Amino acid sequence: DALDPERLIQCPYNKYHQIRACRFPYHLVKCRKSYPEVAKELATCPFNARHLVPQAELSDHIKKCSDKSLIEQDIVNESSGSQREQMNAVSTWQAPPCDEDWET
């Protein structure tokens, strides 16, 4: 299951590292520092920062990325107007009166 936090994912920096999905983002940061030469050769997917692919394969990955459809769907939903109206709503919240006077 793709949403299982316990599933194992192979590290793009070292193929012998098998990391639980819930720890994967932290592991990427650590391994990027440990393998700077490999890090220079990898590119980050614009749709999911957990997708690190060789720079030469990035355009192919972008075409096939499973997260691309999620981003596209968000764009469609945003342009439908319902979310835009919610984002443009004016807040009526006001700060409570303050009795403190720092000058005294």
Side-chain angles (χ1 to χ4, degrees):
D1 181 21
L3 299 177
D4 179 11
E6 297 300 317
R7 74 184 164 95
L8 295 177
I9 302 173
Q10 181 178 320
C11 172
Y13 298 104
N14 183 330
K15 67 180 181 178
Y16 298 108
H17 293 175
Q18 297 293 316
I19 313 303
R20 289 181 299 142
C22 62
R23 298 291 309 157
F24 195 67
Y26 306 103
H27 180 83
L28 287 178
V29 171
K30 178 182 170 190
C31 258
R32 181 179 297 124
K33 292 176 184 175
S34 299
Y35 298 94
E37 293 304 314
V38 177
K40 290 178 186 176
E41 299 172 7
L42 297 177
T44 304
C45 170
F47 304 114
N48 187 335
R50 296 177 184 183
H51 296 169
L52 297 170
V53 296
Q55 290 179 1
E57 299 174 16
L58 182 61
S59 61
D60 250 1
H61 174 82
I62 289 172
K63 292 175 189 172
K64 300 174 185 174
C65 182
S66 58
D67 292 326
K68 180 180 179 179
S69 62
L70 298 173
I71 302 296
E72 289 172 341
Q73 187 59 46
D74 283 348
I75 292 170
V76 168
N77 289 343
E78 186 176 316
S79 65
S80 69
S82 61
Q83 289 181 348
R84 190 180 312 124
E85 290 171 11
Q86 290 175 357
M87 289 171 53
N88 291 336
V90 176
S91 174
T92 57
W93 182 86
Q94 292 181 351
C98 181
D99 296 333
E100 292 180 350
D101 183 0
W102 286 68
E103 300 299 323
T104 58

